[in-house]
Amino acid sequence: MTDSFNPSVRTLMGPGPSDVPPRILSALARPTIGHLDPEFVKMMDEVKALLQYAFQTKNELTIPVSAPGSAGMECCFVNLVEAGDKVIVCQNGVFGGRMKENVERLGATAIIVEDEWGTAVDLAKVEQALKDNPDAKIVAFVHAETSTGVCSDAKAICDLAHQHDCITIVDAVTSLGGSELKVDEWGIDAIYSGTQKCLSCVPGLSPVSFNEKAIEIIKNRKSSVNSWFLDLNLVMGYWGGNAKRAYHHTAPVNALYALHESLVILEQEGLENSWARHKKNHLALRAGFEAMGLEFVVVENDRLPQLNAVTIPEGVDEAVVRSRLLNEYNLEIGAGLGALAGKVWRVGLMGHSSRGENILLCLSALEAILSDMNAEINVGVAIPAAQKALNK
Ligand SMILES: *Cc1c(COP(=O)(O)O)cnc(C)c1O
């Protein structure tokens, strides 16, 4: 006989998922009702309105895709890109690479604007690519690159794209709820996110939003969308506004209760307050790391508060440290990816994980383990430095 699965209670300070608060976990356990039940349909309308708030948009087409962030990415590309199109893809980490993959699998051409891992998207390079490719239709970029902890200037990239008659697809999986993001004000045309990062909901849903210009493009496609499940023309029949809801797929009912609860929590805290909390806690963690002697990968002005990539002390086996954190402290932090594998740790302060107690746990646990491994760090200074920043 197989036993029930009972995971350890961890503190999640990696690149996602983040800690899911008890309020959201208990929302998941509420009774499952039909996905066309009028009560459920009313809740869906509230989820749409709350997502509009989180994205800062009036876009009618603002819904959660019933699948993780990568499906939100695919939803944007598969609906907006047709074979033969030219798409400018900014790549400065893992997720830009996946955008390129999406474009090419759709039979379109990806023009790559490449920047070093850990640096923001270079506006001059984007402008040059737009000048060199007057037939480009879309500019796609990652707002908050979780693989490195860098934030790119979404508003400026959107402005450039529009000057050259391109629309924009923006990855906001890690930025939504954690740092400033204003879909309408910045002129973002299509955007996708995820639930398990700064919304601190369970993984498996992907909020997306499309403006009128993007919807026009979808409606005027020459070919049908190359995915039945993600075809927004069909999805809208279920999530759409006034029309009578028709069965498209069975919505993940309980996961949507959880998303609803996470967005209610966000609204209660206030979006700007959530951004400010992420910033403040980042500064406290940073004070601790820097006192200890660890360095940030990203220059100060481009750092994401919710994803802190820091260097590893000389001679330390970083994987040993991570597994000791997990086994001895129930604490998860992230490894470096791709070009940064083995060179950095990625410490997330996302959503409910962005709390003073997590910062103090992480710094003290890391200090204890690194001291035990005789690593060259400054001992006894990280906690006071973080404490001082937290008390500000
Ligand atoms: C996590 C993440 C994704 C992918 O989301 P999944 O839910 O893992 O599919 C995409 N882009 C960025 C920037 C992310 O951080």
Side-chain angles (χ1 to χ4, degrees):
M1 294 282 269
T2 308
D3 284 337
S4 302
F5 178 61
N6 281 294
S8 300
V9 178
R10 310 285 202 201
T11 299
L12 300 178
M13 298 181 71
S18 56
D19 286 341
V20 181
R23 258 181 82 175
I24 295 177
L25 288 176
S26 66
L28 270 174
R30 288 174 195 152
T32 302
I33 60 175
H35 67 120
L36 293 168
D37 185 313
E39 282 186 21
F40 187 70
V41 169
K42 182 167 169 282
M43 191 213 68
M44 287 166 70
D45 286 336
E46 289 180 2
V47 167
K48 284 167 67 176
L50 288 162
L51 281 178
Q52 287 173 329
Y53 169 67
F55 275 128
Q56 294 287 284
T57 182
K58 293 198 168 65
N59 289 343
E60 180 64 33
L61 182 45
T62 302
I63 59 169
V65 172
S66 303
S70 305
M73 176 188 287
E74 195 134 350
C75 180
C76 289
F77 284 91
V78 82
N79 280 281
L80 289 167
V81 177
E82 292 193 71
D85 284 348
K86 232 184 208 189
V87 181
I88 294 176
V89 174
C90 306
Q91 191 177 356
N92 60 341
V94 165
F95 295 101
R98 291 193 183 177
M99 289 177 152
K100 170 176 184 271
E101 186 80 12
N102 267 272
V103 169
E104 290 173 348
R105 281 175 187 238
L106 290 166
T109 304
I111 306 293
I112 306 299
V113 171
E114 200 161 1
D115 282 293
E116 232 174 274
W117 286 50
T119 60
V121 172
D122 184 335
L123 297 175
K125 287 187 194 169
V126 174
E127 187 163 29
Q128 193 58 49
L130 283 160
K131 282 182 181 154
D132 293 345
N133 297 279
D135 52 342
K137 175 177 153 187
I138 297 171
V139 175
F141 64 94
V142 179
H143 180 216
E145 191 33 274
T146 323
S147 59
T148 66
V150 80
C151 184
S152 289
D153 188 342
K155 182 177 187 306
I157 300 172
C158 288
D159 285 347
L160 277 175
H162 295 153
Q163 284 162 25
H164 293 264
D165 292 322
C166 282
I167 62 155
T168 48
I169 296 178
V170 180
D171 179 322
V173 176
T174 281
S175 44
L176 184 67
S179 48
E180 191 181 27
L181 172 64
K182 297 181 170 175
V183 168
D184 288 357
E185 198 179 310
W186 294 355
I188 292 170
D189 299 291
I191 190 164
Y192 61 91
S193 187
T195 44
Q196 77 277 28
K197 314 254 167 141
C198 295
L199 297 181
S200 271
C201 184
V202 289
L205 293 168
S206 175
V208 296
S209 186
F210 295 80
N211 70 10
E212 285 302 324
K213 218 183 331 169
I215 293 171
E216 254 339 277
I217 289 176
I218 297 169
K219 283 189 175 152
N220 292 313
R221 286 177 62 99
K222 295 191 286 288
S223 56
S224 57
V225 173
N226 272 331
S227 162
W228 179 85
F229 184 67
L230 295 171
D231 183 345
L232 285 168
N233 297 299
L234 304 178
V235 174
M236 279 303 284
Y238 180 54
W239 274 97
N242 322 322
K244 205 166 156 358
R245 313 245 174 175
Y247 168 65
H248 175 260
H249 64 280
T250 309
V253 171
N254 293 56
L256 287 167
Y257 300 163
L259 176 59
H260 183 275
E261 191 69 17
S262 74
L263 293 167
V264 166
I265 291 172
L266 181 66
E267 190 183 48
Q268 287 171 346
E269 179 177 21
L271 189 58
E272 281 83 4
N273 293 335
S274 177
W275 297 341
R277 171 172 55 85
H278 281 84
K279 179 85 199 218
K280 180 176 180 170
N281 287 332
H282 156 73
L283 291 175
L285 182 69
R286 168 192 162 179
F289 277 153
E290 290 184 342
M292 201 185 278
L294 307 186
E295 284 163 23
F296 275 75
V297 173
V298 176
V299 296
E300 185 168 351
N301 284 335
D302 296 338
R303 278 177 208 159
L304 288 169
Q306 59 273 56
L307 197 286
N308 299 269
V310 289
T311 54
I312 292 154
E314 272 296 307
V316 169
D317 183 340
E318 71 85 21
V320 171
V321 175
R322 278 186 299 108
S323 78
R324 284 189 64 178
L325 285 171
L326 194 65
N327 295 328
E328 296 166 27
Y329 296 86
N330 274 309
L331 172 62
E332 178 179 281
I333 66 168
L337 280 183
L340 296 176
K343 296 183 182 145
V344 301
W345 285 309
R346 291 181 302 146
V347 181
L349 287 173
M350 298 180 176
H352 187 60
S353 293
S354 179
R355 302 200 303 287
E357 69 210 69
N358 280 15
I359 293 167
L360 299 177
L361 168 67
C362 178
L363 291 171
S364 50
L366 203 54
E367 178 169 320
I369 292 169
L370 288 172
S371 303
D372 188 49
M373 292 169 81
N374 295 317
E376 278 201 37
I377 55 159
N378 306 316
V379 178
V381 286
I383 295 289
Q387 200 63 269
K388 194 172 152 210
L390 285 173
N391 291 339
K392 262 198 190 137

